[in-house]
């Protein structure tokens, strides 16, 4: 018997950041679109970089991303769910189902949101089953007050001010 396990070969420190940026963009659906940069993406990318640096196998990395829970500051993998929030600020189950299938399974199943395709193996029920998994995901947000007043914040150097804003956004 032969056992295969997908894994990144030892990621060199200098390439870890590049691969983390690539995978963050792919997972968030931004590989070919305008890039955004916010606290969620930064923490998610940093988490990816750490996982790659520790040579976490791809199947384990996938489990950690898809099953992530907790606060983004404690577990950067939560950034995957948070990147797909809808207008009510809750994770969008259908977008997550489509992206999960495309990125982690190599399948394009978006069409199955609406109808069964006569030639595809995936049916609408299959798509909805994947979406149901993400339908249980909920976004909770704690309100954290800035450690300084607005007047004190304005007195800080620009770099320090931006850092504080990013941390407490």
């Amino acid at each position: 018997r032969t056992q295969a396990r997908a894994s990144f070969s030892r990621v060199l420190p200098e390439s870890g950041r590049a691969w983390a940026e690539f995978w963050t963009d792919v997972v968030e659906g931004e590989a070919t679109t305008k890039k955004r940069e916010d606290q969620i993406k930064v923490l998610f990318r940093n988490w990816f970089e750490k996982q790659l640096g520790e040579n976490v196998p791809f199947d384990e990395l996938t489990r950690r991303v898809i099953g992530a829970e907790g606060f983004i500051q404690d577990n950067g993998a939560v950034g995957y769910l948070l990147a797909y929030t809808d207008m009510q600020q809750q994770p969008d189950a259908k977008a997550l189902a489509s992206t999960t299938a495309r990125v982690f399974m190599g399948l394009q199943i978006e069409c199955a949101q609406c109808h069964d395709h006569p030639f595809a193996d995936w049916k609408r029920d299959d798509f909805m089953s994947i979406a149901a998994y993400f339908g249980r995901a909920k976004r909770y947000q704690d309100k954290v007050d800035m450690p300084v007043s607005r007047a004190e914040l304005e007195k800080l150097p620009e770099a320090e001010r931006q850092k504080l804003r990013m941390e407490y956004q």
Side-chain angles (χ1 to χ4, degrees), residues 147-166:
V148 296
S149 69
R150 183 175 294 242
E152 292 170 320
L153 184 66
E154 294 304 319
K155 292 177 185 176
L156 294 173
E158 180 63 26
E160 194 172 335
R161 194 175 335 146
Q162 290 300 329
K163 182 179 176 200
L164 270 174
R165 282 188 179 136
M166 183 85 141

Side-chain angles (χ1 to χ4, degrees), residues 16-31 35-38 40-49 52 76 79-80 83-84 99 102-103:
R17 182 62 161 189
W19 278 112
E21 286 182 20
F22 170 79
W23 279 105
T24 303
D25 287 345
V26 168
V27 168
E28 290 192 355
E30 296 183 357
K35 309 281 191 244
R36 70 171 173 76
E37 193 74 15
D38 60 18
I40 292 170
K41 186 166 186 173
V42 169
L43 292 170
F44 188 36
R45 183 177 53 232
N46 291 345
W47 176 86
F48 244 114
E49 185 176 5
L52 294 172
Y80 180 58
Y84 290 91
T99 301
R102 180 181 48 78
V103 172

Side-chain angles (χ1 to χ4, degrees), residues 17-154:
R17 182 62 161 189
W19 278 112
E21 286 182 20
F22 170 79
W23 279 105
T24 303
D25 287 345
V26 168
V27 168
E28 290 192 355
E30 296 183 357
T32 59
T33 62
K34 186 176 182 211
K35 309 281 191 244
R36 70 171 173 76
E37 193 74 15
D38 60 18
Q39 180 187 28
I40 292 170
K41 186 166 186 173
V42 169
L43 292 170
F44 188 36
R45 183 177 53 232
N46 291 345
W47 176 86
F48 244 114
E49 185 176 5
K50 183 176 186 282
Q51 302 304 301
L52 294 172
E54 293 173 359
N55 203 33
V56 173
F58 194 71
D59 58 338
E60 179 59 29
L61 194 142
T62 301
R63 278 192 285 282
R64 291 177 187 180
V65 169
I66 294 172
E69 57 184 62
F71 289 101
I72 184 83
Q73 293 82 359
D74 302 325
N75 180 6
V78 172
Y80 180 58
L81 296 173
L82 295 177
Y84 290 91
T85 55
D86 61 18
M87 295 305 285
Q88 289 78 38
Q89 294 298 305
Q90 293 302 322
D92 182 342
K94 289 181 179 180
L96 282 160
S98 295
T99 301
T100 300
R102 180 181 48 78
V103 172
F104 297 108
M105 299 165 63
L107 299 170
Q108 293 282 10
I109 64 169
E110 289 86 352
C111 294
Q113 290 181 63
C114 303
H115 60 274
D116 292 343
H117 192 283
F119 307 115
D121 292 335
W122 286 88
K123 304 297 181 199
R124 190 165 192 266
D125 286 345
D126 298 319
F127 179 87
M128 292 304 174
S129 296
I130 296 173
Y133 172 81
F134 293 109
R136 300 178 314 188
K138 299 289 179 226
R139 177 183 176 152
Y140 299 99
Q141 195 164 334
D142 285 344
K143 178 150 175 53
V144 180
D145 293 324
M146 290 282 281
V148 296
S149 69
R150 183 175 294 242
E152 292 170 320
L153 184 66
E154 294 304 319

